[in-house]
Amino acid sequence: MTTLLIADRDPNERTGISWLVSTCAIPYDRVLTAGTVTELLRALEAERPDVICIELDMVPKEDWERLKLLTSLYKPTVVVTTLEATFERALQGIELHAVDLWLKPQSPEHIRRTLTRCCQERMARGTARVEQADSLGSALSYRSLFLPLESPGKGLRLMLLQLEDTDKHGELLNFLETYPFREKPVLLPLSDVIVCIFSEEKDTPLSAGQEIGKRLLMDWEEQHAEPLSLVLYDSTDEMLSLNQKYRYAVEALDIRFFKGYRQISTVQNKVNWAVIDPFLTPAEQRAWVDMLHDGDREQLKQWMYRQFLHKAEPYPEPGLLRIRLTSILAQVRRFMKSQGLDEGALEEKYLRVFDTILYTPVLYRIVQDLLLFIYELLDSVTIHRDEARLDIVEQAIRYLEENYARADLRLEEVARHVDRSPAYFSSLLTQRHGVSFRQLLTTIRLREAERLLLSTRLSVQEVAERTGFVNANYFSKIFKEKSGTTPRSFRNQKKREKS
């Protein structure tokens, strides 16, 4: 199928040439028209016409480079038209590799002959292109990729495509087999990547290959949700074999570790990874211990972002960064152990994060998962510490309730019982109950004293002795301060209320 595109601002010109093509039986299967440069560029990308007639006067300077790139990429036969017989217009025609320049008005006969010749040449070129593609396909095979001296790489450009879910490479292969490439590549699918080999003319710019990659990526994402990454390898070294180009291109696939999917990476030489020390220095280890114990989430996040995100070329070797991430995880592990949290659900999540560091193909996802795990760990530490504080206070209260009758019971003894310093235990008790140790002990003793006064016939002296007070006078004084009455009056009043 041969397609003609007529791009002219004058609707009469577009209509006239279209009519001429149809009435003279020039064998174009389709005739398209464009009245603006935007329509022209869109038609070039979407329809990829075989022959185009372009009015040079309709193309502004800011769109000229784009037009040159698209004509270089899709290689249509170009005819240019203009009202200005100037050197500048002739030079523009040369830049587009135009086969003819029409000065308006042009005779219908000349237009007919030119378009007929262009159509016939395109049809002949299409037949030759199919034969060339068949020849290229028969010359290139898996042996070409994997045997060092099997095939020269001169004139061959590689594009490697890889889905995040490699199990769906069958869908990607089907997509590529039906994709409307201008020059059909040889497709060699492997278990984790699909290799496209293009035969390129000597002067084809690298930007043309980039344009193919961008368009392919865009078209894939319009139809599929699975993330795709591309590597375009086009070395200037004509001595490289196809196997060498393939090995360098495969190594460049790891650039997605930094750039993520839905990207195209263009490389022209072997990737030179930057060398870094993957292990934390003693100062960095101390910094991590301090940040974890302080629970400073913002500081932890900023440290991780500085170390791992927004990297510029040359990128560090991905394997070394994975080692560095495991060194950080080792510090997190020590912190877990120090807090008694190295078991149960957190332990399982720790192991999953370890697998993430080793196998996840994109760096920012590893950083995100590691930070989320650290945040969850810090939350668990807070809960664990609160529970520990609660247990300590409850243990102390139970000890007081069992030993309140001893007049020599002191703060130091109770703190020693819960394995804390007196100052720390006293502060913890105040935070939890809002009272001092002495106030809590007195409250427990007075509560028991009230019970004994109401349920027994013990004297005030005996009640004081059984509740840990030094003597009856001190007991009566404290009792009156708290309840507003003496122990004897309290007993008599409660008896009268019952009777």
Side-chain angles (χ1 to χ4, degrees):
M1 177 179 289
T2 310
T3 303
L4 170 66
L5 172 62
I6 305 166
D8 199 297
R9 292 172 297 177
D10 187 344
N12 294 326
E13 291 282 345
R14 300 195 301 270
T15 303
I17 296 175
S18 299
W19 176 84
L20 187 63
V21 169
S22 62
T23 56
C24 295
I26 304 175
Y28 288 99
D29 298 287
R30 289 193 306 161
V31 177
L32 309 173
T33 61
T36 65
V37 70
T38 301
E39 293 175 356
L40 165 62
L41 298 176
R42 186 183 300 120
L44 273 172
E45 289 189 283
E47 304 296 339
R48 300 175 189 180
D50 298 281
V51 180
I52 55 174
C53 297
I54 304 175
E55 180 199 7
L56 292 174
D57 310 278
M58 75 183 294
V59 184
K61 289 183 178 180
E62 59 268 21
D63 291 316
W64 181 249
E65 292 301 322
R66 176 71 174 168
L67 176 61
K68 284 172 55 179
L69 176 60
L70 292 178
T71 55
S72 173
L73 174 61
Y74 299 119
K75 298 181 175 62
T77 299
V78 179
V79 176
V80 295
T81 68
T82 181
L83 283 168
E84 302 176 14
T86 63
F87 175 76
E88 180 185 1
R89 292 300 185 220
L91 183 61
Q92 286 181 317
I94 293 172
E95 289 180 351
L96 295 179
H97 303 283
V99 298
D100 201 358
L101 186 151
W102 296 343
L103 290 175
K104 296 182 179 181
Q106 190 58 251
S107 70
E109 180 58 23
H110 183 78
I111 294 174
R112 184 191 66 79
R113 285 199 308 269
T114 302
L115 294 182
T116 300
R117 185 180 75 251
C118 291
C119 184
Q120 292 171 344
E121 290 175 353
R122 292 299 297 195
M123 292 171 67
R125 193 184 306 174
T127 302
R129 193 163 55 238
V130 171
E131 293 173 352
Q132 180 184 10
D134 291 341
S135 174
L136 179 65
S138 62
L140 299 177
S141 65
Y142 291 99
R143 290 173 57 91
S144 307
L145 289 184
F146 298 117
L147 296 183
L149 301 178
E150 182 70 15
S151 299
K154 184 177 179 180
L156 299 177
R157 176 177 287 165
L158 272 67
M159 182 183 292
L160 272 56
L161 300 94
Q162 188 174 60
L163 294 176
E164 183 169 11
D165 183 359
T166 56
D167 290 338
K168 295 184 178 180
H169 272 172
E171 296 179 22
L172 178 58
L173 181 60
N174 292 336
F175 172 81
L176 294 173
E177 288 175 338
T178 59
Y179 193 75
F181 291 104
R182 170 61 68 181
E183 307 288 344
K184 198 73 174 178
V186 175
L187 301 177
L188 297 177
L190 302 171
S191 60
D192 60 343
V193 69
I194 294 180
V195 181
C196 299
I197 306 175
F198 295 86
S199 177
E200 294 291 349
E201 298 176 5
K202 182 177 180 181
D203 296 329
T204 302
L206 180 61
S207 56
Q210 294 170 330
E211 195 68 30
I212 291 175
K214 291 176 183 177
R215 169 58 60 182
L216 191 150
L217 186 61
M218 185 183 306
D219 291 343
W220 167 264
E221 292 190 340
E222 286 179 356
Q223 304 174 35
H224 302 82
E226 188 63 29
L228 173 67
S229 66
L230 290 83
V231 167
L232 178 66
Y233 187 85
D234 185 59
S235 175
T236 56
D237 188 349
E238 296 184 353
M239 301 303 294
L240 291 178
S241 68
L242 184 62
N243 169 258
Q244 288 172 305
K245 287 188 174 183
Y246 169 69
R247 288 190 288 109
Y248 293 162
V250 167
E251 188 175 4
L253 282 172
D254 281 340
I255 293 177
R256 77 179 183 281
F257 187 66
F258 302 94
K259 297 176 66 174
Y261 286 91
R262 298 184 170 91
Q263 301 286 337
I264 177 169
S265 300
T266 304
V267 288
Q268 293 182 278
N269 296 293
K270 186 179 185 297
V271 178
N272 292 315
W273 303 108
V275 178
I276 63 168
D277 183 356
F279 300 102
L280 296 180
T281 65
E284 288 173 328
Q285 292 180 18
R286 288 193 297 273
W288 266 93
V289 169
D290 292 341
M291 287 188 295
L292 288 170
H293 279 282
D294 293 343
D296 192 333
R297 301 180 187 218
E298 184 62 26
Q299 190 177 6
L300 285 164
K301 182 179 76 172
Q302 293 303 324
W303 195 98
M304 292 289 289
Y305 283 7
R306 286 195 306 272
Q307 287 285 319
F308 297 106
L309 300 187
H310 313 302
K311 292 289 186 182
E313 297 186 44
Y315 296 117
E317 201 281 314
L320 296 179
L321 279 186
R322 293 186 192 273
I323 294 174
R324 188 162 179 79
L325 285 159
T326 58
S327 297
I328 293 172
L329 194 60
Q331 299 301 316
V332 176
R333 176 71 169 175
R334 294 190 185 99
F335 179 67
M336 289 172 63
K337 284 182 172 292
S338 71
Q339 302 298 318
L341 295 172
D342 56 331
E343 57 184 19
L346 271 178
E347 177 71 6
E348 293 178 3
K349 292 177 180 178
Y350 162 80
L351 295 174
R352 285 200 293 271
V353 171
F354 187 76
D355 284 343
T356 296
I357 292 174
L358 294 182
Y359 303 115
T360 295
V362 181
L363 178 58
Y364 74 82
R365 294 183 187 170
I366 298 176
V367 172
Q368 182 183 44
D369 286 354
L370 179 54
L371 281 173
L372 289 175
F373 173 70
I374 292 173
Y375 295 162
E376 184 174 356
L377 174 61
L378 294 177
D379 288 339
S380 298
V381 167
T382 300
I383 295 171
H384 184 70
R385 286 175 178 172
D386 288 343
E387 290 176 347
R389 290 191 186 102
L390 177 62
D391 290 343
I392 290 169
V393 171
E394 291 302 320
Q395 290 175 33
I397 290 175
R398 284 197 295 271
Y399 190 79
L400 288 173
E401 289 174 340
E402 293 170 358
N403 295 275
Y404 65 86
R406 290 173 36 211
D408 61 346
L409 185 60
R410 296 291 182 270
L411 168 65
E412 291 74 14
E413 178 183 341
V414 179
R416 189 166 54 250
H417 176 74
V418 296
D419 195 25
R420 295 294 186 274
S421 70
Y424 177 78
F425 170 68
S426 177
S427 173
L428 202 60
L429 184 64
T430 302
Q431 290 177 19
R432 180 66 200 282
H433 288 283
V435 296
S436 67
F437 170 79
R438 177 56 56 186
Q439 289 171 325
L440 178 61
L441 178 57
T442 299
T443 298
I444 292 173
R445 284 172 168 170
L446 289 175
R447 185 170 61 240
E448 179 61 14
E450 288 181 352
R451 187 188 70 80
L452 291 175
L453 288 170
L454 297 178
S455 61
T456 70
R457 294 180 177 274
L458 294 174
S459 65
V460 172
Q461 177 67 37
E462 291 172 321
V463 170
E465 291 173 356
R466 292 195 180 191
T467 53
F469 289 98
V470 178
N471 55 57
N473 290 334
Y474 179 70
F475 166 58
S476 296
K477 176 185 175 184
I478 297 299
F479 193 95
K480 186 173 183 179
E481 287 177 358
K482 298 297 181 182
S483 62
T485 185
T486 63
R488 194 179 306 279
S489 299
F490 174 81
R491 172 183 277 174
N492 293 334
Q493 180 181 348
K494 293 298 181 182
K495 284 183 178 181
R496 285 196 298 269
E497 290 176 357
K498 285 184 179 180
S499 61

